């Protein structure tokens, strides 16, 4: 599962160029053309990184960046600012608003891709890791293999994606809606009860005998990879 990137850009040709190249590098890309629409979307769903244009209709990139930095859930969200402004004072202003990086148009697409990868590596190393491990569970992305205490576990495609997503965000609680959005995709309609079915299958495959269940059900909220699970395995 590639990192999720939101591109907020009102130039359609540039948006499509960025989408094409980012998806070619394995990222899951969402595009938004207005700053106010992006602000609304970001209150519902937080990507792993934003490529944000300075000048946007509805709400400027600078103002959107400032708003994101005031919210606890997006305070650490990696942001790359795109702009036609090249003066040093403007670069300083962009970075001062909270952007992590700054690229002046026109720019080299390979350079942008390199900066995206570098920023993700620093901010979310688990999204680029080949092997994800938590407690006695290990998932190898290259080999698409899962094991628990060295025991191979044969997961179906959906259960694999669910486990991979949980391993990327250990301890964090996700609602059924958030899991549907992140694991199944935004463009697919599936009943929320489907999540319960696949969580049940994942649990059955992961847990044998008296092994501790690594998935925590949070009543009225959703599911999480239990942060107490890893601690118990260390004791």
């Amino acid at each position: 599962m590639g990192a999720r990137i939101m591109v907020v850009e009102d130039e359609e040709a540039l948006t499509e160029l960025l989408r094409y190249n980012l998806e070619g590098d394995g990222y899951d890309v969402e595009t938004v053309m207005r700053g106010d629409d992006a602000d609304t979307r970001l209150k519902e769903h937080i990507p792993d990184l934003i490529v944000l244009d300075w000048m946007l209709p509805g709400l400027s990139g600078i103002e959107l960046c400032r708003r994101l930095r005031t919210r606890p859930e997006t305070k650490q969200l990696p942001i790359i600012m795109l702009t036609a402004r090249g003066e040093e004072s403007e670069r300083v202003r962009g970075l001062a608003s909270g952007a992590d990086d700054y690229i002046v148009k026109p720019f080299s697409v390979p350079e942008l891709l390199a900066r995206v990868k570098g920023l993700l590596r620093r901010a979310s190393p688990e999204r680029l890791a080949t092997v994800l491990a938590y407690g006695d569970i290990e998932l190898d992305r290259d080999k698409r293999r899962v094991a628990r205490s060295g025991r191979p576990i044969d997961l179906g495609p959906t259960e694999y994606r669910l486990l991979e997503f949980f391993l990327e965000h250990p301890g964090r609680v996700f609602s059924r809606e958030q899991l549907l959005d992140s694991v199944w995709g935004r463009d697919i309609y599936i009943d929320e009860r489907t999540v319960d079915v696949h969580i049940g299958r994942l649990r059955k495959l992961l847990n044998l005998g008296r092994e501790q269940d690594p998935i925590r059900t949070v009543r009225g909220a959703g599911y999480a990879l239990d942060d107490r699970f890893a601690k118990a395995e260390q004791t």
Side-chain angles (χ1 to χ4, degrees), residues 19-32:
R19 179 199 289 275
Y20 176 81
N21 283 278
L22 288 166
E23 288 182 343
D25 264 18
Y27 301 114
D28 180 7
V29 182
E30 176 182 10
T31 60
V32 186

Side-chain angles (χ1 to χ4, degrees), residues 168-227:
E168 290 173 344
H169 308 89
R172 180 175 169 184
V173 179
F174 292 94
S175 68
R176 292 171 177 82
E177 182 180 2
Q178 288 173 320
L179 289 171
L180 283 173
D181 188 31
S182 299
V183 176
W184 278 263
R186 295 179 297 275
D187 302 324
I188 299 176
Y189 176 76
I190 299 176
D191 190 281
E192 289 188 359
R193 287 173 294 183
T194 301
V195 175
D196 300 333
V197 173
H198 286 281
I199 289 288
R201 291 178 183 172
L202 179 59
R203 278 176 161 151
K204 185 176 181 180
L205 292 166
L206 287 177
N207 307 328
L208 288 181
R210 296 185 177 181
E211 288 180 316
Q212 182 183 354
D213 186 357
I215 300 174
R216 179 166 61 101
T217 300
V218 183
R219 187 180 299 274
Y223 299 99
L225 193 62
D226 199 339
D227 53 2

Side-chain angles (χ1 to χ4, degrees), residues 6-147:
M6 177 182 286
V7 175
V8 189
E9 169 61 63
D10 62 335
E11 294 181 33
E12 188 172 353
L14 179 55
T15 297
E16 289 308 309
L17 176 67
L18 292 174
R19 179 199 289 275
Y20 176 81
N21 283 278
L22 288 166
E23 288 182 343
D25 264 18
Y27 301 114
D28 180 7
V29 182
E30 176 182 10
T31 60
V32 186
M33 301 190 75
R34 293 179 56 91
D36 48 355
D37 290 342
D39 192 28
T40 299
R41 178 61 181 158
L42 287 162
K43 291 175 182 177
E44 303 168 352
H45 160 74
I46 302 173
D48 297 295
L49 181 144
I50 297 181
V51 177
L52 178 63
D53 189 31
W54 180 300
M55 298 295 293
L56 292 166
L59 183 71
S60 73
I62 284 286
E63 179 56 31
L64 177 56
C65 188
R66 289 196 185 106
R67 292 186 184 187
L68 294 175
R69 291 304 183 231
T70 63
R71 300 171 189 161
E73 62 274 18
T74 55
K75 187 175 182 180
Q76 303 299 324
L77 177 63
I79 299 174
I80 296 178
M81 187 79 74
L82 301 181
T83 179
R85 300 169 183 257
E87 298 82 358
E88 182 178 358
S89 60
E90 297 298 346
R91 296 190 186 202
V92 171
R93 184 183 172 198
L95 294 171
S97 71
D100 297 282
D101 205 347
Y102 188 104
I103 298 181
V104 179
K105 301 177 186 177
F107 54 84
S108 159
V109 171
E111 179 187 359
L112 173 65
L113 294 176
R115 294 198 188 193
V116 166
K117 187 172 184 179
L119 192 51
L120 282 173
R121 184 182 292 112
R122 295 193 299 272
S124 305
E126 70 281 354
R127 297 312 304 261
L128 301 176
T130 298
V131 176
L132 298 174
Y134 195 69
D136 61 353
I137 297 174
E138 185 174 284
L139 182 149
D140 188 318
R141 283 170 157 151
D142 286 347
K143 299 177 181 178
R144 291 191 69 83
R145 291 178 181 172
V146 176

